Amino acid sequence: MPTDQEFLQRTHATETSERSERHLAGLRPAEATLDAIETVTVSLAYLPLERPISDAKVLTGRQKPLTEIAFLLAEITTESGLHGVGYSYSKRAGGPAQYAHAVEVADELLGEDPSDIQRLWTKLVWAGASVGRSGASTQAIAAFDIALWDLKAKRAGLPLAKLLGAHRDSVQVYNTSGGYLSMPIDQVLENANASVERGIGGIKIKVGQPDSAIDLRRVEAVRTALPANFPLAVDANQQWDRPTAARVGRALESFDLTWIEEPLDAYDAEGHAALAAQLDTPIATGEMLTSTAEHLDLINHRSVDFIQPDAPRVGGITPFLQITAIAAQHHIKLAPHFAMEIHLHLAAAYEHEPWVEHFEWLEPLFNERLDIRDGRMYVPARAGLGFSFSDQARAWTTETHTAKR
């Protein structure tokens, strides 16, 4: 039994704690700030590709070959010296627009508590409300949002996947960068073999040739060259109409594909739903969409077996988590697009077994390398996202802006 003095001490401590909790609960966000944002830096960098690449969008004349990728780099520092990093990106046009919008709204973060990520995302959206909640403006916000999540996990001393609540410490990984239509089939086969030897767990190649017979021959060549039952997917980059997608989709059934990606226009939820109902091969899409609402349209129409949100494109990790929370309830599989340094953590925290996409193009941007073996990519033990921008990323930077408190 406690003594009277011990009882009084415990009672006093409990009352003091309860008063403190009530006091904190009544504080406005600014008053509850423990470590305010001191500086926000945004940079525009261009990563050059070793050689131009083409997918079906180039063959149809809708785009030019890809020669470089624009990256919006965000760095957020607090009063105590904590440092968070994030990025967004654009292929072909759009990089300067993202950078310009990020410069305009960066001041909105100064003096704020970086832990209030949902509130800050909403604040940034409203700062640029007249240009909407999708597209270049939201992609600019994404870089900040990702940096805030990186910072929050660093404050906790945890990898981001652990902060979110990981279901696994590694994720199935497949390679895309070795299968473009601009590459002759011999090169595609060589790249596929190199990926298998490196420990990659799946291969995706591009399709969408004007002559679908060429696509079928290329798929057959890769399927024959891969080990038995090795995961293989194809990506038409939105270049088929509904009849072509159905016809070619039926012809592809015999190759036991993991999925057919973007067979139709990204916004054709009804068409994707009809195709998914017709084919045994799973349908994947979502990478080109730039908002939560657009992904919910796919989910509500039952358009996808694999949903493919891209955190930098949808506005960051905050909206990405909203999408995946609903997708998981519908038992939809996840295969986020590009940005493997970010998506590895988000996929590790997804309920159903996911895939992540591997592009070796991005490696020069960072000082760290991801651990790939036995068909899987492993979540780094480092706190936060686990990467930092390299000197090469700084060398590729063309513009920088810093907002200071």
Side-chain angles (χ1 to χ4, degrees):
M1 293 288 292
T3 64
D4 290 345
Q5 185 177 0
E6 288 173 336
F7 177 79
L8 290 172
Q9 287 174 340
R10 291 181 186 179
T11 301
H12 176 73
T14 300
E15 291 174 346
T16 301
S17 176
E18 290 175 349
R19 284 197 301 272
S20 177
E21 289 175 2
R22 288 195 298 270
H23 175 62
L24 287 174
L27 290 177
R28 295 190 300 272
E31 293 176 317
T33 297
L34 303 176
D35 185 17
I37 295 173
E38 188 72 16
T39 65
V40 179
T41 298
V42 290
S43 303
L44 179 62
Y46 287 91
L47 183 154
L49 299 183
E50 186 176 337
R51 60 182 62 86
I53 61 165
S54 300
D55 57 26
K57 298 188 296 294
V58 176
L59 298 189
T60 58
R62 290 174 172 166
Q63 290 185 339
K64 296 178 181 179
L66 183 64
T67 59
E68 63 183 9
I69 304 173
F71 281 87
L72 175 65
L73 312 179
E75 300 171 82
I76 297 175
T77 305
T78 69
E79 290 174 329
S80 69
L82 282 175
H83 184 71
V85 299
Y87 70 82
S88 192
Y89 72 94
S90 180
K91 298 177 181 178
R92 300 175 179 88
Q98 291 181 14
Y99 175 75
H101 190 76
V103 168
E104 280 192 292
V105 302
D107 286 0
E108 298 287 339
L109 293 173
L110 298 179
E112 291 282 9
D113 186 336
S115 294
D116 298 340
I117 301 177
Q118 177 66 64
R119 181 177 63 81
L120 295 181
W121 190 90
T122 302
K123 182 181 183 182
L124 291 172
V125 166
W126 279 105
S130 65
V131 290
R133 297 188 183 185
S134 64
S137 61
T138 308
Q139 290 164 18
I141 292 171
F144 296 133
D145 183 82
I146 292 163
L148 289 169
W149 278 102
D150 178 51
L151 195 154
K152 190 168 190 173
K154 286 175 177 174
R155 171 176 281 125
L158 295 170
L160 178 60
K162 288 293 187 182
L163 180 73
L164 297 174
H167 283 269
R168 57 194 64 83
D169 63 4
S170 67
V171 179
Q172 299 174 108
V173 58
Y174 72 95
N175 178 265
T176 290
S177 52
Y180 276 82
L181 294 179
S182 49
M183 301 172 182
I185 189 59
D186 289 346
Q187 183 65 57
V188 173
L189 295 175
E190 183 179 330
N191 293 342
N193 183 62
S195 291
V196 173
E197 291 181 353
R198 182 176 177 179
I200 300 290
I203 298 295
K204 186 176 78 180
I205 67 169
K206 300 292 184 175
V207 293
Q209 300 269 0
D211 181 356
S212 60
I214 299 175
D215 284 333
L216 295 174
R217 288 196 295 270
R218 286 168 68 94
V219 173
E220 182 177 18
V222 176
R223 168 53 79 204
T224 301
L226 289 173
N229 302 316
F230 195 85
L232 173 64
V234 300
D235 183 358
N237 289 107
Q238 308 178 74
Q239 297 310 294
W240 290 333
D241 58 20
R242 291 186 183 185
T244 302
R247 184 176 63 253
V248 180
R250 286 192 294 269
L252 290 168
E253 295 273 50
S254 63
F255 296 113
D256 190 27
L257 299 178
T258 304
W259 68 70
I260 299 172
E261 184 170 328
E262 286 197 316
L264 300 169
D265 184 273
Y267 293 89
D268 186 3
E270 291 182 355
H272 279 100
L275 190 63
Q278 292 178 55
L279 301 178
D280 292 332
T281 305
I283 299 300
T285 194
E287 69 177 66
M288 296 301 297
L289 305 182
T290 60
S291 71
T292 301
E294 292 163 355
H295 282 84
L296 295 187
D297 199 31
L298 293 179
I299 294 171
N300 290 334
H301 279 87
R302 300 183 179 180
S303 303
V304 290
D305 301 287
F306 286 88
I307 199 161
Q308 298 185 297
D310 181 322
R313 281 184 175 166
V314 300
I317 291 171
T318 297
F320 185 101
L321 294 174
Q322 294 171 349
I323 294 166
T324 54
I326 298 172
Q329 292 176 14
H330 287 77
H331 303 280
I332 295 172
K333 295 183 179 180
L334 175 69
H337 170 255
F338 207 60
M340 58 190 183
E341 297 80 11
I342 300 163
H343 291 142
L344 171 60
H345 292 272
L346 306 183
Y350 191 66
E351 178 180 349
H352 310 296
E353 182 70 40
W355 285 89
V356 287
E357 188 171 24
H358 175 259
F359 281 85
E360 65 274 7
W361 305 340
L362 307 189
E363 290 182 348
L365 288 174
F366 310 110
N367 292 312
E368 300 77 15
R369 294 291 176 268
L370 292 168
D371 179 11
I372 298 172
R373 49 193 161 88
D374 302 323
R376 304 182 72 84
M377 182 182 290
Y378 284 77
V379 175
R382 301 179 294 272
L385 291 167
F387 69 82
S388 56
F389 297 132
S390 66
D391 290 341
Q392 181 63 77
R394 309 292 183 191
W396 284 332
T397 296
T398 60
E399 298 182 68
T400 298
H401 169 82
T402 298
K404 297 181 179 180
R405 190 179 181 192

